[in-house]
């Protein structure tokens, strides 16, 4: 969480890159130690500026969110994937992930996320 706060508040590009690399190193070291929580990879993806580079990180996070009650993680990750795919010019994949995110979001009590997903699905390219 400290890395995310630092990245969210960083205005200098060089400091941002340093903080991003520190977060990336942390995620990789946690993975090497056998602790690969989806939150880590989703957070790294969230702060990845390049959409195409973020997608594999979100997919890794999604893979780690495999337990039955991980609906909140999957909804968030899938919605982020939908947004990234839309920005990369892949509207079909974006819609596919948005629908899957909506399905997961129906299993949790997060009305704000459901509204955001619904608005996304109603938008046209």
């Amino acid at each position: 969480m400290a890395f995310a706060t630092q990245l969210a508040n960083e205005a200098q590009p060089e400091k941002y890159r340093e903080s991003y690399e520190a977060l990336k190193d942390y995620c990789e070291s946690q993975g090497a130690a056998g602790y690969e929580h989806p939150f880590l990879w989703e957070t790294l993806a969230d702060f990845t500026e390049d959409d195409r580079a973020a997608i594999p990180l979100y997919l890794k996070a999604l893979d780690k969110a495999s337990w039955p009650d991980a609906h909140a993680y999957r909804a968030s990750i899938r919605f982020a994937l939908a947004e990234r795919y839309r920005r990369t010019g892949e509207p079909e994949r974006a819609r596919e992930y948005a629908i899957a995110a909506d399905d997961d979001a129906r299993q949790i009590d997060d009305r704000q996320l459901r509204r955001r997903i619904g608005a996304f699905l109603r938008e046209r390219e």
Side-chain angles (χ1 to χ4, degrees):
M1 200 61 158
F3 288 117
T5 302
Q6 187 175 359
L7 283 162
N9 295 316
E10 189 54 65
Q12 297 178 351
E14 184 58 36
K15 294 278 187 186
Y16 186 93
R17 278 190 294 282
E18 289 173 14
S19 296
Y20 178 85
E21 288 301 319
L23 174 59
K24 183 178 175 186
D25 290 346
Y26 179 75
C27 290
E28 290 171 354
S29 70
Q30 291 297 297
Y35 180 76
E36 291 195 287
H37 196 278
F39 176 79
L40 294 174
W41 297 105
E42 181 181 11
T43 302
L44 182 61
D46 287 345
F47 289 102
T48 301
E49 294 174 323
D50 180 274
D51 291 327
R52 294 206 186 276
I55 289 171
L57 297 170
Y58 283 121
L59 292 172
K60 185 170 188 163
L62 187 58
D63 181 58
K64 302 302 174 191
S66 60
W67 66 94
D69 292 336
H71 297 291
Y73 289 108
R74 288 191 301 268
S76 175
I77 295 163
R78 286 177 170 148
F79 184 52
L81 278 162
E83 292 175 317
R84 297 288 184 135
Y85 276 121
R86 180 178 277 173
R87 287 197 300 257
T88 62
E90 298 180 65
E92 298 84 17
R93 293 194 86 181
R95 183 163 181 74
E96 173 187 322
Y97 277 102
I99 289 169
D102 190 51
D103 289 344
D104 272 313
R106 290 175 191 267
Q107 306 300 314
I108 60 175
D109 187 29
D110 188 337
R111 291 183 181 156
Q112 181 181 12
L113 179 59
R114 296 264 333 266
R115 280 193 295 273
R116 290 177 51 221
I117 294 168
F120 182 93
L121 286 167
R122 287 187 299 274
E123 291 174 6
R124 297 280 184 214
E125 280 298 306

